[in-house]
Coordinates of all heavy atoms in Angstrom, one line a residue:
M1 N -5.0 -14.0 13.3 CA -6.4 -13.7 13.1 C -6.5 -12.9 11.8 O -5.9 -11.9 11.6 CB -6.8 -12.8 14.3 CG -8.2 -12.3 14.2 SD -8.7 -11.3 15.6 CE -8.8 -12.6 16.9
P2 N -7.3 -13.4 10.8 CA -7.5 -12.7 9.6 C -8.1 -11.3 9.7 O -9.0 -11.1 10.6 CB -8.5 -13.6 8.8 CG -8.5 -14.9 9.5 CD -8.1 -14.6 10.9
E3 N -7.7 -10.5 8.8 CA -8.3 -9.1 8.8 C -8.8 -8.8 7.5 O -8.4 -9.3 6.5 CB -7.2 -8.1 9.2 CG -6.7 -8.2 10.6 CD -5.7 -7.2 11.0 OE1 -4.8 -7.0 10.2 OE2 -5.7 -6.7 12.1
I4 N -9.8 -7.9 7.4 CA -10.5 -7.5 6.2 C -10.2 -6.0 5.9 O -10.4 -5.2 6.9 CB -12.0 -7.8 6.2 CG1 -12.3 -9.2 6.4 CG2 -12.7 -7.2 5.0 CD1 -13.7 -9.6 6.7
V5 N -9.8 -5.7 4.7 CA -9.6 -4.3 4.4 C -11.0 -3.7 4.2 O -11.7 -4.1 3.3 CB -8.7 -4.1 3.2 CG1 -8.6 -2.6 2.8 CG2 -7.3 -4.6 3.4
K6 N -11.4 -2.7 5.0 CA -12.7 -2.1 4.9 C -12.6 -0.8 4.0 O -13.6 -0.4 3.4 CB -13.2 -1.7 6.3 CG -13.3 -2.9 7.2 CD -14.3 -3.9 6.7 CE -15.7 -3.6 7.1 NZ -16.7 -4.6 6.7
D7 N -11.5 -0.1 4.0 CA -11.4 1.1 3.3 C -9.9 1.4 3.1 O -9.1 0.9 3.8 CB -12.0 2.3 4.1 CG -12.1 3.6 3.2 OD1 -12.2 3.5 2.0 OD2 -12.1 4.7 3.8
M8 N -9.6 2.1 2.0 CA -8.2 2.5 1.8 C -8.1 3.9 1.2 O -9.1 4.4 0.5 CB -7.5 1.5 0.9 CG -7.9 1.4 -0.5 SD -7.0 0.1 -1.4 CE -6.0 1.1 -2.4
D9 N -7.0 4.6 1.4 CA -6.8 5.9 0.8 C -5.3 5.8 0.4 O -4.5 5.3 1.0 CB -7.0 7.0 1.9 CG -6.9 8.3 1.3 OD1 -7.2 8.5 0.1 OD2 -6.5 9.3 2.1
W10 N -5.0 6.4 -0.8 CA -3.7 6.4 -1.3 C -3.4 7.8 -2.0 O -4.3 8.5 -2.4 CB -3.5 5.3 -2.3 CG -4.4 5.3 -3.5 CD1 -5.6 4.8 -3.6 CD2 -4.1 6.0 -4.7 NE1 -6.1 5.1 -4.8 CE2 -5.2 5.8 -5.5 CE3 -3.0 6.7 -5.2 CZ2 -5.3 6.3 -6.8 CZ3 -3.1 7.2 -6.5 CH2 -4.2 7.0 -7.3
Q11 N -2.1 8.0 -2.1 CA -1.6 9.2 -2.8 C -0.1 9.1 -3.2 O 0.6 8.4 -2.5 CB -1.9 10.5 -2.0 CG -1.3 10.5 -0.6 CD -1.7 11.7 0.1 OE1 -1.4 12.8 -0.2 NE2 -2.4 11.5 1.2
F12 N 0.2 9.7 -4.3 CA 1.6 9.9 -4.7 C 2.1 11.2 -4.2 O 1.3 12.2 -4.2 CB 1.7 9.8 -6.2 CG 1.6 8.3 -6.7 CD1 0.5 7.8 -7.3 CD2 2.8 7.5 -6.6 CE1 0.4 6.6 -7.7 CE2 2.7 6.2 -7.1 CZ 1.5 5.7 -7.6
G13 N 3.3 11.3 -3.9 CA 3.9 12.6 -3.5 C 5.3 12.7 -4.0 O 6.0 11.8 -4.5
V14 N 5.8 14.0 -3.9 CA 7.2 14.2 -4.3 C 7.8 15.0 -3.1 O 7.3 15.9 -2.6 CB 7.3 15.1 -5.6 CG1 8.8 15.4 -5.9 CG2 6.7 14.4 -6.7
T15 N 9.0 14.5 -2.6 CA 9.7 15.2 -1.5 C 10.2 16.6 -2.0 O 11.0 16.7 -2.9 CB 10.9 14.4 -1.0 OG1 10.4 13.1 -0.7 CG2 11.5 15.0 0.1
A16 N 9.7 17.6 -1.4 CA 10.0 19.0 -1.8 C 11.2 19.5 -1.0 O 12.0 20.3 -1.5 CB 8.8 19.9 -1.6
A17 N 11.4 19.1 0.3 CA 12.5 19.6 1.1 C 12.9 18.5 2.1 O 12.0 17.7 2.5 CB 12.1 20.8 1.8
C18 N 14.2 18.4 2.3 CA 14.7 17.4 3.2 C 16.1 17.8 3.6 O 16.8 18.4 2.9 CB 14.7 16.0 2.6 SG 15.2 14.6 3.6
S19 N 16.5 17.3 4.8 CA 17.9 17.6 5.2 C 18.9 16.8 4.4 O 20.0 17.2 4.3 CB 18.1 17.3 6.7 OG 17.8 15.9 7.0
N20 N 18.4 15.7 3.8 CA 19.2 14.9 2.9 C 18.9 15.3 1.5 O 17.9 15.0 1.0 CB 18.9 13.4 3.1 CG 19.8 12.5 2.3 OD1 20.5 13.0 1.4 ND2 19.7 11.2 2.5
K21 N 19.8 16.1 0.9 CA 19.6 16.6 -0.4 C 19.3 15.5 -1.5 O 18.6 15.8 -2.5 CB 20.8 17.4 -0.9 CG 21.0 18.7 -0.1 CD 22.2 19.5 -0.6 CE 22.4 20.7 0.2 NZ 23.6 21.5 -0.2
E22 N 19.8 14.3 -1.3 CA 19.5 13.3 -2.3 C 18.0 12.9 -2.3 O 17.6 12.3 -3.3 CB 20.4 12.0 -1.9 CG 21.9 12.3 -2.2 CD 22.7 11.1 -1.7 OE1 22.2 10.0 -1.4 OE2 23.9 11.3 -1.7
Q23 N 17.3 13.1 -1.2 CA 15.9 12.8 -1.2 C 15.0 13.8 -1.9 O 13.8 13.5 -2.2 CB 15.5 12.6 0.3 CG 16.1 11.4 1.0 CD 15.8 10.1 0.3 OE1 14.7 9.8 0.0 NE2 16.8 9.3 0.2
V24 N 15.4 15.0 -2.1 CA 14.6 16.1 -2.7 C 14.3 15.7 -4.1 O 15.2 15.3 -4.9 CB 15.3 17.4 -2.6 CG1 14.5 18.5 -3.4 CG2 15.6 17.8 -1.2
G25 N 13.0 15.8 -4.4 CA 12.6 15.4 -5.8 C 12.2 14.0 -6.0 O 11.8 13.6 -7.1
K26 N 12.4 13.1 -5.0 CA 12.0 11.7 -5.0 C 10.5 11.5 -4.9 O 9.9 12.2 -4.1 CB 12.8 10.9 -4.0 CG 14.3 11.0 -4.1 CD 14.8 9.7 -4.6 CE 16.3 9.8 -4.8 NZ 17.0 8.6 -4.7
T27 N 10.0 10.6 -5.7 CA 8.6 10.3 -5.7 C 8.3 9.2 -4.6 O 9.1 8.3 -4.5 CB 8.1 9.8 -7.1 OG1 8.5 10.8 -8.0 CG2 6.6 9.6 -7.1
F28 N 7.2 9.3 -3.9 CA 6.8 8.2 -3.0 C 5.4 7.9 -3.1 O 4.6 8.7 -3.7 CB 7.2 8.6 -1.5 CG 6.5 9.8 -1.0 CD1 5.2 9.7 -0.4 CD2 7.0 11.1 -1.2 CE1 4.6 10.8 0.1 CE2 6.3 12.2 -0.8 CZ 5.1 12.1 -0.1
F29 N 5.0 6.8 -2.5 CA 3.6 6.4 -2.6 C 3.1 6.2 -1.1 O 3.9 5.5 -0.3 CB 3.5 5.0 -3.3 CG 2.1 4.4 -3.3 CD1 1.1 4.9 -4.1 CD2 1.8 3.3 -2.5 CE1 -0.2 4.4 -4.0 CE2 0.5 2.8 -2.5 CZ -0.5 3.3 -3.3
Y30 N 2.0 6.7 -0.7 CA 1.5 6.6 0.6 C 0.2 5.9 0.6 O -0.7 6.1 -0.3 CB 1.2 8.0 1.2 CG 0.5 8.0 2.5 CD1 1.2 7.7 3.7 CD2 -0.8 8.3 2.6 CE1 0.5 7.6 4.9 CE2 -1.5 8.3 3.8 CZ -0.9 7.9 4.9 OH -1.5 7.9 6.1
L31 N 0.0 4.9 1.5 CA -1.2 4.0 1.5 C -1.7 4.0 3.0 O -0.9 3.7 3.9 CB -0.9 2.6 1.0 CG -2.0 1.6 1.0 CD1 -3.1 2.0 0.0 CD2 -1.4 0.2 0.6
K32 N -3.0 4.2 3.1 CA -3.6 4.1 4.4 C -4.7 3.1 4.3 O -5.6 3.2 3.5 CB -4.2 5.5 4.8 CG -5.0 5.5 6.1 CD -5.6 6.8 6.4 CE -6.7 6.8 7.3 NZ -7.4 8.1 7.5
L33 N -4.6 2.0 5.1 CA -5.7 1.0 5.1 C -6.4 0.9 6.4 O -5.8 1.1 7.5 CB -5.0 -0.4 5.0 CG -4.2 -0.6 3.7 CD1 -3.4 -2.0 3.8 CD2 -5.0 -0.6 2.5
N34 N -7.7 0.9 6.4 CA -8.6 0.7 7.5 C -9.0 -0.8 7.5 O -9.6 -1.3 6.6 CB -9.8 1.5 7.5 CG -9.5 3.0 7.6 OD1 -8.7 3.4 8.4 ND2 -10.1 3.8 6.7
V35 N -8.5 -1.6 8.5 CA -8.8 -3.0 8.5 C -9.6 -3.4 9.7 O -9.5 -2.7 10.8 CB -7.4 -3.8 8.5 CG1 -6.7 -3.6 7.2 CG2 -6.5 -3.4 9.7
E36 N -10.3 -4.5 9.6 CA -11.2 -4.9 10.7 C -10.8 -6.4 11.0 O -10.8 -7.2 10.1 CB -12.7 -4.8 10.3 CG -13.6 -5.2 11.4 CD -15.1 -5.0 11.0 OE1 -15.4 -3.9 10.5 OE2 -15.9 -5.9 11.1
S37 N -10.7 -6.7 12.2 CA -10.4 -8.1 12.7 C -11.7 -8.9 12.8 O -12.8 -8.3 12.8 CB -9.7 -8.1 14.0 OG -8.5 -7.5 13.9
E38 N -11.6 -10.2 12.9 CA -12.8 -11.1 13.1 C -13.6 -10.7 14.3 O -14.8 -10.8 14.4 CB -12.4 -12.5 13.2 CG -12.0 -13.1 11.9 CD -11.6 -14.6 12.1 OE1 -11.3 -15.0 13.2 OE2 -11.7 -15.3 11.1
D39 N -12.9 -10.1 15.4 CA -13.7 -9.8 16.6 C -14.3 -8.4 16.5 O -14.9 -7.9 17.4 CB -12.7 -9.8 17.8 CG -11.6 -8.8 17.7 OD1 -11.5 -8.0 16.8 OD2 -10.7 -8.8 18.6
G40 N -14.2 -7.8 15.3 CA -14.9 -6.4 15.1 C -14.0 -5.2 15.4 O -14.4 -4.1 15.1
S41 N -12.8 -5.5 16.0 CA -12.0 -4.3 16.3 C -11.4 -3.8 14.9 O -11.1 -4.6 14.0 CB -10.9 -4.7 17.2 OG -10.0 -5.7 16.7
Q42 N -11.1 -2.5 14.9 CA -10.6 -1.9 13.7 C -9.3 -1.2 14.0 O -9.1 -0.8 15.2 CB -11.6 -0.9 13.1 CG -12.9 -1.5 12.7 CD -13.8 -0.5 11.9 OE1 -13.4 0.6 11.7 NE2 -15.0 -1.0 11.6
R43 N -8.4 -1.1 13.0 CA -7.2 -0.4 13.2 C -6.8 0.2 11.8 O -7.3 -0.2 10.8 CB -6.1 -1.3 13.7 CG -5.6 -2.3 12.8 CD -4.6 -3.3 13.5 NE -4.1 -4.3 12.5 CZ -2.9 -4.3 12.0 NH1 -2.1 -3.3 12.3 NH2 -2.6 -5.2 11.1
V44 N -5.9 1.2 11.9 CA -5.4 1.9 10.7 C -4.0 1.5 10.5 O -3.2 1.6 11.4 CB -5.6 3.4 10.8 CG1 -5.1 4.1 9.6 CG2 -7.0 3.8 11.1
V45 N -3.6 1.1 9.2 CA -2.3 0.8 8.9 C -1.8 1.8 7.9 O -2.4 2.0 6.8 CB -2.2 -0.6 8.2 CG1 -0.8 -1.0 7.8 CG2 -2.8 -1.7 9.2
H46 N -0.6 2.4 8.2 CA 0.0 3.5 7.3 C 1.2 2.8 6.6 O 2.0 2.2 7.3 CB 0.4 4.7 8.0 CG -0.8 5.4 8.7 ND1 -1.5 6.3 8.1 CD2 -1.2 5.2 10.0 CE1 -2.4 6.7 9.0 NE2 -2.3 6.1 10.1
M47 N 1.4 3.0 5.3 CA 2.6 2.6 4.6 C 3.0 3.7 3.7 O 2.2 4.3 3.0 CB 2.2 1.3 3.8 CG 2.0 0.1 4.6 SD 1.8 -1.3 3.5 CE 0.0 -1.3 3.3
E48 N 4.3 3.8 3.7 CA 4.9 4.8 2.7 C 6.1 4.0 2.0 O 6.8 3.3 2.7 CB 5.5 6.0 3.4 CG 6.0 7.0 2.4 CD 6.4 8.3 3.1 OE1 5.7 8.8 3.9 OE2 7.5 8.8 2.8
M49 N 6.1 4.1 0.7 CA 7.2 3.4 0.0 C 7.6 4.1 -1.2 O 7.0 5.1 -1.7 CB 6.6 2.0 -0.5 CG 5.3 2.0 -1.3 SD 4.6 0.4 -1.5 CE 3.5 0.2 -0.1
S50 N 8.9 3.8 -1.6 CA 9.4 4.5 -2.8 C 8.6 4.0 -4.1 O 7.9 3.0 -4.0 CB 10.9 4.1 -2.9 OG 11.0 2.7 -3.3
L51 N 8.9 4.6 -5.2 CA 8.2 4.3 -6.4 C 8.6 2.8 -6.8 O 7.7 2.1 -7.2 CB 8.6 5.3 -7.5 CG 7.6 5.3 -8.7 CD1 6.2 5.6 -8.2 CD2 8.1 6.4 -9.7
S52 N 9.9 2.4 -6.7 CA 10.2 1.1 -7.0 C 9.6 0.1 -6.1 O 9.2 -1.0 -6.5 CB 11.7 0.9 -7.0 OG 12.3 1.1 -5.8
Q53 N 9.5 0.4 -4.8 CA 8.8 -0.5 -3.9 C 7.3 -0.6 -4.2 O 6.7 -1.7 -4.1 CB 8.9 0.0 -2.4 CG 10.3 -0.1 -1.9 CD 10.5 0.6 -0.5 OE1 9.9 1.7 -0.3 NE2 11.2 0.0 0.4
F54 N 6.7 0.5 -4.6 CA 5.3 0.5 -5.0 C 5.1 -0.5 -6.2 O 4.2 -1.3 -6.2 CB 4.8 1.9 -5.4 CG 3.5 1.9 -6.1 CD1 2.3 1.6 -5.5 CD2 3.4 2.2 -7.5 CE1 1.1 1.5 -6.1 CE2 2.2 2.1 -8.2 CZ 1.1 1.8 -7.5
Y55 N 5.9 -0.4 -7.3 CA 5.8 -1.2 -8.4 C 6.0 -2.7 -8.0 O 5.3 -3.6 -8.6 CB 6.8 -0.8 -9.5 CG 6.3 0.4 -10.3 CD1 7.0 1.5 -10.3 CD2 5.0 0.4 -10.9 CE1 6.6 2.7 -11.0 CE2 4.6 1.5 -11.6 CZ 5.4 2.7 -11.6 OH 4.9 3.8 -12.3
S56 N 6.9 -3.0 -7.1 CA 7.1 -4.4 -6.7 C 5.8 -4.8 -5.9 O 5.3 -6.0 -6.1 CB 8.3 -4.5 -5.7 OG 8.4 -5.7 -5.2
F57 N 5.2 -4.0 -5.1 CA 4.0 -4.3 -4.3 C 2.8 -4.5 -5.3 O 2.1 -5.4 -5.2 CB 3.7 -3.1 -3.4 CG 2.4 -3.2 -2.6 CD1 2.2 -4.2 -1.7 CD2 1.4 -2.2 -2.8 CE1 1.0 -4.3 -1.0 CE2 0.3 -2.3 -2.1 CZ 0.0 -3.3 -1.2
L58 N 2.7 -3.6 -6.3 CA 1.7 -3.8 -7.3 C 1.8 -5.1 -8.1 O 0.8 -5.8 -8.3 CB 1.7 -2.6 -8.3 CG 0.7 -2.6 -9.4 CD1 -0.7 -2.5 -8.8 CD2 1.0 -1.4 -10.3
H59 N 3.0 -5.5 -8.4 CA 3.3 -6.8 -9.1 C 2.8 -7.9 -8.2 O 2.2 -8.9 -8.7 CB 4.7 -6.9 -9.5 CG 5.1 -8.2 -10.1 ND1 4.7 -8.5 -11.4 CD2 5.8 -9.2 -9.7 CE1 5.1 -9.7 -11.7 NE2 5.8 -10.2 -10.7
Q60 N 3.1 -7.9 -6.9 CA 2.7 -8.9 -6.0 C 1.2 -9.0 -5.9 O 0.6 -10.1 -5.9 CB 3.3 -8.7 -4.6 CG 4.8 -8.9 -4.6 CD 5.4 -8.5 -3.3 OE1 4.7 -8.3 -2.3 NE2 6.7 -8.4 -3.3
L61 N 0.5 -7.8 -5.9 CA -0.9 -7.8 -5.8 C -1.6 -8.4 -7.1 O -2.5 -9.2 -7.0 CB -1.5 -6.4 -5.6 CG -1.3 -5.8 -4.3 CD1 -1.7 -4.3 -4.3 CD2 -2.0 -6.6 -3.2
E62 N -0.9 -8.1 -8.2 CA -1.4 -8.7 -9.5 C -1.3 -10.2 -9.5 O -2.1 -10.9 -10.0 CB -0.7 -8.0 -10.7 CG -1.1 -6.6 -10.9 CD -0.3 -5.8 -12.0 OE1 0.8 -6.3 -12.3 OE2 -0.8 -4.8 -12.4
K63 N -0.1 -10.7 -9.0 CA 0.1 -12.1 -9.0 C -1.0 -12.8 -8.1 O -1.5 -13.9 -8.4 CB 1.5 -12.4 -8.5 CG 2.6 -12.3 -9.5 CD 4.0 -12.4 -9.0 CE 4.2 -13.7 -8.3 NZ 5.6 -14.0 -7.9
A64 N -1.3 -12.2 -6.9 CA -2.2 -12.7 -6.0 C -3.6 -12.7 -6.6 O -4.4 -13.7 -6.5 CB -2.3 -11.9 -4.7
K65 N -4.0 -11.7 -7.4 CA -5.3 -11.6 -8.0 C -5.4 -12.7 -9.1 O -6.4 -13.4 -9.2 CB -5.5 -10.3 -8.7 CG -6.8 -10.1 -9.4 CD -6.9 -8.9 -10.3 CE -8.2 -8.8 -11.0 NZ -8.4 -9.9 -12.0
N66 N -4.3 -12.9 -9.9 CA -4.3 -13.9 -10.9 C -4.5 -15.3 -10.3 O -5.2 -16.2 -10.9 CB -3.1 -13.9 -11.8 CG -3.0 -12.6 -12.7 OD1 -4.1 -12.1 -13.0 ND2 -1.8 -12.2 -13.1
S67 N -3.8 -15.6 -9.1 CA -4.0 -16.8 -8.5 C -5.4 -17.0 -8.0 O -6.0 -18.1 -8.2 CB -3.0 -16.9 -7.3 OG -1.7 -16.9 -7.7
L68 N -6.0 -16.0 -7.5 CA -7.4 -16.1 -7.0 C -8.4 -16.3 -8.2 O -9.4 -16.9 -8.0 CB -7.8 -14.9 -6.2 CG -7.1 -14.7 -4.8 CD1 -7.4 -13.4 -4.2 CD2 -7.5 -15.8 -3.9
D69 N -8.1 -15.7 -9.3 CA -9.0 -15.9 -10.5 C -9.1 -17.4 -10.9 O -10.1 -17.7 -11.6 CB -8.4 -15.0 -11.7 CG -8.7 -13.6 -11.5 OD1 -9.5 -13.2 -10.6 OD2 -8.1 -12.8 -12.2
F70 N -8.1 -18.2 -10.6 CA -8.1 -19.6 -11.0 C -8.9 -20.5 -10.0 O -9.2 -21.6 -10.3 CB -6.7 -20.2 -11.2 CG -6.1 -19.7 -12.4 CD1 -5.0 -18.8 -12.3 CD2 -6.5 -20.1 -13.6 CE1 -4.4 -18.3 -13.5 CE2 -5.9 -19.6 -14.8 CZ -4.8 -18.8 -14.7
L71 N -9.3 -19.9 -8.8 CA -10.0 -20.7 -7.8 C -11.5 -20.8 -8.3 O -12.0 -19.8 -8.9 CB -9.9 -20.0 -6.5 CG -8.6 -20.0 -5.8 CD1 -8.6 -19.2 -4.5 CD2 -8.0 -21.4 -5.6
P72 N -12.1 -21.9 -8.0 CA -13.5 -22.1 -8.4 C -14.5 -21.2 -7.6 O -14.2 -20.7 -6.6 CB -13.8 -23.5 -8.2 CG -12.7 -24.1 -7.3 CD -11.6 -23.1 -7.4

């Protein structure tokens, strides 16, 4: 069932403390999507990704936009 993104919220963050010392100081990207189904039901989708995962995600979104730009 297709869903439509109705609203989104995003933020970048830096891990300040963690039991795993290697994670301290790492940058992350947080994305919250409010989506609506065809039947009108809504749900919230939370995503957190590393900076490299974010850049890969951004690249995929840009490719999708470029593909849509060629449609009549």
Side-chain angles (χ1 to χ4, degrees):
M1 179 179 288
E3 295 180 313
I4 298 171
V5 176
K6 300 300 271 184
D7 190 27
M8 67 181 255
D9 186 29
W10 60 272
Q11 55 186 296
F12 283 99
V14 177
T15 304
C18 183
S19 59
N20 182 353
K21 292 181 183 180
E22 294 176 7
Q23 294 299 317
V24 175
K26 297 255 177 155
T27 305
F28 64 90
F29 176 75
Y30 171 78
L31 180 64
K32 175 183 158 187
L33 300 173
N34 293 315
V35 295
E36 184 177 310
S37 298
E38 285 182 337
D39 65 3
S41 63
Q42 295 187 8
R43 68 186 181 106
V44 178
V45 178
H46 301 271
M47 289 185 267
E48 187 175 311
M49 53 190 92
S50 69
L51 202 54
S52 62
Q53 289 171 321
F54 166 72
Y55 282 121
S56 176
F57 176 65
L58 181 61
H59 178 69
Q60 292 171 13
L61 289 176
E62 288 172 342
K63 282 175 55 176
K65 180 192 176 298
N66 290 335
S67 295
L68 291 173
D69 286 344
F70 286 111
L71 294 177

